[in-house]
Amino acid sequence: MAKKRVTYVCLECGYTSPGWLGKCPSCGTWGSLSEQSPPPAGESGKRTSKGADPVKLSEISVPSDARIETGIGEFDRVAGGGLVRGGCVLLAGSPGVGKSTLLLQVASRLAERGERVLYVSGEESAFQVKLRAERLGAGGDEIYLLPETSVESILSVIEEVSPSVVIVDSVQTLSTETAQGLPGSVSQVRESTALLVDEAKRRNLPLILVGHVTKEGVIAGPKLLEHMVDAVFQFDGEKGHPYRVLRAAKNRFGSVSEVGVFEMTGSGLAEVSDPSGIFAGSGAGGVPGMVVYPALQGMRTLLVEVQALVSRSYLPVPRRVSVGVDLSRSQILSTIVEKYCGVSLAGCDLFLNVAGGWKIADTGADLALVSAILSGALDVPVPSGFTCFGEVGLG
Ligand code: TYD
Ligand code: MG
């Protein structure tokens, strides 16, 4: 008799293993592997219904209203000019960054433009959402609020209300009868998303899903959602800073280099249409270790201040700390400074920081970081109005 085969799936990243493990070898999370039974025979595999007919690419017409502008410029910029009908967006971000706030504002602006929005809230009650909406000054007759987590009920409400945009907050709370496991488990999240995405494509509706990310920055529950949706928007912000940055990690309908910048205020998120100076710090010239770097973001340039603090260390192994810069990149750069600039950092703690909670991902910032380290180590401030960029190679 064939033994029932059981696999173990990591709830954080979707890694599968034939046996149970205490720590996921893929993402390193402890205790995240959970038992998953295979689907009952006969449920998957054979396709019975007739599929779609092929259509000539040249004969497909694109409707003029294929995109719905939300009216929030910074959001539309990242989306590539507005939400696409039938397009599914995953809005990922850590808890508390402002995802629900942003989407409630998006819903409100869409409703003002005459779109009917269905806002499904699996995390907050209708009353809580209403309170928030009052604070945001959001509202409108065309927003339908649904505190629900069952996908089957959501689908029947979509049938009933026939909205033109659906927002689901969040995928981790959804559950469906067709999958096993608790809400938030890989099988539930995957199946629920698949059902909603299917429905959105069938009805040509834009669908926005909220997904929480874990501390390590991976989309919690399932990294696997990334390829089921058309676009993944990442909403980031540093604790204690009011600025929030929206970027597209993937976008089938637009560029991934554009960013949207918002400021969290007492009455919700405000657009920052000219963010060029906000990450440049106080601009206090004359302080050693501070260098402004022009970061290119889509069609805009942002001035970002990189800061290096070099000080005598009292530890046997000096500290190398970097915030907003990749640690291995900063170690390479500090070694280059030692080797080629003749400045010894031995016995010194080195702290690198990017002002305003900005994160530097491109190597174009190398020269600015090297300048900051040199300026900090030599205690010589760079002239005010000075800026630099460029990649620094190992040679
Ligand atoms: P929220 O949208 O609930 O975050 P998420 O859905 O990503 O978990 O945002 C919560 C935070 O935003 C909370 O810490 C308070 C802050 N906030 C404001 O500062 N101003 C506001 O008007 C609102 C609604 C929230
Ligand atoms: Mg929320």
Side-chain angles (χ1 to χ4, degrees):
M1 204 182 82
K3 220 174 133 224
K4 196 172 130 201
R5 205 158 45 87
V6 174
T7 50
Y8 294 83
V9 179
C10 171
L11 298 183
E12 293 296 329
C13 69
Y15 174 86
T16 53
S17 152
W20 190 81
L21 298 164
K23 183 185 181 186
C24 172
S26 171
C27 66
T29 312
W30 285 94
S32 63
L33 263 70
S34 129
E35 187 180 315
Q36 303 273 311
S37 313
E43 249 184 38
S44 60
K46 247 185 274 164
R47 191 185 275 232
T48 48
S49 66
K50 176 156 175 0
D53 292 320
V55 188
K56 278 190 189 170
L57 185 60
S58 56
E59 285 170 8
I60 300 173
S61 61
V62 179
S64 56
D65 62 344
R67 281 189 189 270
I68 306 179
E69 275 187 34
T70 63
I72 299 182
E74 295 295 296
F75 185 89
D76 289 339
R77 173 200 303 281
V78 176
L83 294 170
V84 174
R85 291 195 197 273
C88 301
V89 175
L90 176 67
L91 178 68
S94 42
V97 73
K99 300 180 295 298
S100 307
T101 306
L102 177 66
L103 290 183
L104 201 55
Q105 287 180 266
V106 166
S108 159
R109 295 294 278 272
L110 284 168
E112 279 168 22
R113 293 172 163 238
E115 304 288 345
R116 180 173 290 181
V117 185
L118 178 66
Y119 189 101
V120 182
S121 175
E123 293 185 349
E124 290 161 283
S125 67
F127 159 74
Q128 286 172 311
V129 178
K130 175 71 186 170
L131 277 185
R132 183 200 301 257
E134 272 177 2
R135 247 181 83 194
L136 300 176
D141 242 9
E142 289 295 281
I143 303 183
Y144 288 75
L145 193 68
L146 178 67
E148 181 58 77
T149 56
S150 149
V151 175
E152 283 72 23
S153 312
I154 295 170
L155 292 179
S156 73
V157 171
I158 293 179
E159 184 76 47
E160 208 175 292
V161 173
S162 74
S164 52
V165 178
V166 176
I167 296 172
V168 178
D169 187 2
S170 65
V171 287
Q172 274 92 6
T173 59
L174 295 178
S175 65
T176 163
E177 290 154 15
T178 56
Q180 296 170 324
L182 292 169
S185 66
V186 172
S187 52
Q188 283 289 357
V189 171
R190 185 163 42 187
E191 190 64 27
S192 302
T193 306
L195 287 170
L196 287 171
V197 169
D198 254 15
E199 183 71 7
K201 298 264 181 237
R202 210 169 54 75
R203 292 179 164 263
N204 225 12
L205 281 177
L207 170 70
I208 308 179
L209 300 166
V210 170
H212 292 297
V213 297
T214 56
K215 273 193 263 69
E216 290 75 30
V218 292
I219 297 171
K223 195 87 170 122
L224 4 129
L225 282 191
E226 278 186 10
H227 67 257
M228 296 173 66
V229 294
D230 298 301
V232 179
F233 297 169
Q234 198 86 38
F235 202 36
D236 284 320
E238 207 67 18
K239 279 236 151 53
H241 288 286
Y243 295 112
R244 302 284 183 267
V245 178
L246 184 71
R247 34 178 129 227
K250 159 184 173 174
N251 194 352
R252 287 189 184 144
F253 314 117
S255 148
V256 289
S257 57
E258 291 291 354
V259 298
V261 184
F262 296 89
E263 183 179 0
M264 184 61 95
T265 66
S267 53
L269 290 158
E271 291 181 60
V272 182
S273 320
D274 179 20
S276 58
I278 59 170
F279 295 105
S282 52
V287 182
M290 311 285 164
V291 175
V292 172
Y293 159 63
L296 192 63
Q297 284 295 335
M299 305 298 283
R300 298 187 292 194
T301 308
L302 297 179
L303 296 178
V304 179
E305 187 177 271
V306 296
Q307 310 172 332
L309 181 66
V310 183
S311 73
R312 205 179 117 198
S313 181
Y314 295 95
L315 297 169
V317 181
R319 279 186 289 183
R320 297 283 181 264
V321 178
S322 68
V323 180
V325 189
D326 180 44
L327 184 61
S328 41
R329 193 80 209 156
S330 71
Q331 280 166 344
I332 290 174
L333 294 175
S334 58
T335 312
I336 290 171
V337 167
E338 292 222 59
K339 173 99 178 157
Y340 292 104
C341 304
V343 174
S344 170
L345 299 172
C348 292
D349 289 329
L350 170 63
F351 301 94
L352 281 177
N353 179 43
V354 184
W358 188 260
K359 289 185 183 64
I360 287 180
D362 66 321
T363 48
D366 287 357
L367 196 59
L369 288 165
V370 165
S371 311
I373 297 170
L374 273 175
S375 159
L378 301 174
D379 229 2
V380 179
V382 298
S384 79
F386 170 90
T387 180
C388 60
F389 57 91
E391 186 174 341
V392 175
L394 293 190

